Amino acid sequence: MISVTIVCRQAHTADVEALYELIQGYAAKGIMLPRSREALTRGIDSFVVAEDGGKLIGCGSLCRLGNDLVEIRSLGIAEGYKGQRIGSRLVEALIQEARTQGIPKVMALTYEVSFFQKNGFEIVDKEIFPEKVWTDCVNCPKQQCCDEIAVLRKIG
């Protein structure tokens, strides 16, 4: 059952430390790219967070990759809160933001393919996203042996 106290909202600079801690937990496991506090502060407007009674328990962000494409990044849920559809609520908030910006395609690179499929995404070949490859993948230590799966949802 979803807690009625959980809300999704636009992130604020006061959330940076909690965002940093949540993302670092995933980065330490090698399943999310780390983000510095400075990068989080600069990009805070791209983040949506989930909170339960004022405690940050989830996050996700959008990164514009082109005129018609955004990427969902840094999607994570705190331990103890997984399996409560919080991730789906964050994805829907991010998709709504993409709609507001008039961007028809939302992609992600993920290890959680079934989660994204449940949220209306389809598996695609990551080579169809040269914007992503040249923006981020070029600096990734896994560039030559990337094991993430590309997913895409068309919303426009």
Side-chain angles (χ1 to χ4, degrees):
M1 181 169 164
I2 298 174
S3 171
V4 294
T5 62
I6 296 173
V7 296
C8 291
R9 62 167 175 79
Q10 180 64 47
H12 307 293
T13 52
D15 299 318
V16 167
E17 189 59 32
L19 279 170
Y20 176 79
E21 294 298 326
L22 182 60
I23 291 168
Q24 283 304 109
Y26 279 92
K29 296 175 188 169
I31 52 179
M32 190 181 290
L33 290 175
R35 304 273 183 237
S36 69
R37 288 174 181 91
E38 295 77 18
L40 291 170
T41 301
R42 281 192 313 273
I44 198 69
D45 291 343
S46 69
F47 275 87
V48 172
V49 297
E51 63 179 14
D52 183 9
K55 177 185 175 191
L56 192 139
I57 58 161
C59 65
S61 71
L62 279 185
C63 176
R64 193 166 191 142
L65 296 176
N67 291 333
D68 66 346
L69 180 66
V70 289
E71 177 188 11
I72 292 179
R73 291 181 169 183
S74 303
L75 183 66
I77 307 299
E79 290 301 323
Y81 288 92
K82 295 177 182 174
Q84 298 181 42
R85 297 205 35 83
I86 298 164
S88 293
R89 289 174 61 187
L90 287 166
V91 166
E92 281 307 312
L94 293 166
I95 286 173
Q96 186 54 48
E97 179 58 29
R99 270 193 191 102
T100 300
Q101 293 180 23
I103 301 169
K105 296 186 292 187
V106 180
M107 63 87 64
L109 289 178
T110 186
Y111 296 110
E112 300 294 336
V113 175
S114 63
F115 165 80
F116 279 96
Q117 287 176 316
K118 288 178 197 168
N119 284 281
F121 288 73
E122 297 178 10
I123 297 171
V124 294
D125 186 343
K126 58 182 154 246
E127 281 69 35
I128 70 169
F129 303 118
E131 309 93 327
K132 172 65 180 171
V133 171
W134 291 110
T135 302
D136 294 312
C137 300
V138 70
N139 297 314
C140 181
K142 292 184 175 183
Q143 179 187 17
Q144 301 303 321
C145 57
C146 180
D147 54 354
E148 289 185 302
I149 306 296
V151 292
L152 177 69
R153 179 168 161 185
K154 294 180 181 176
I155 59 172

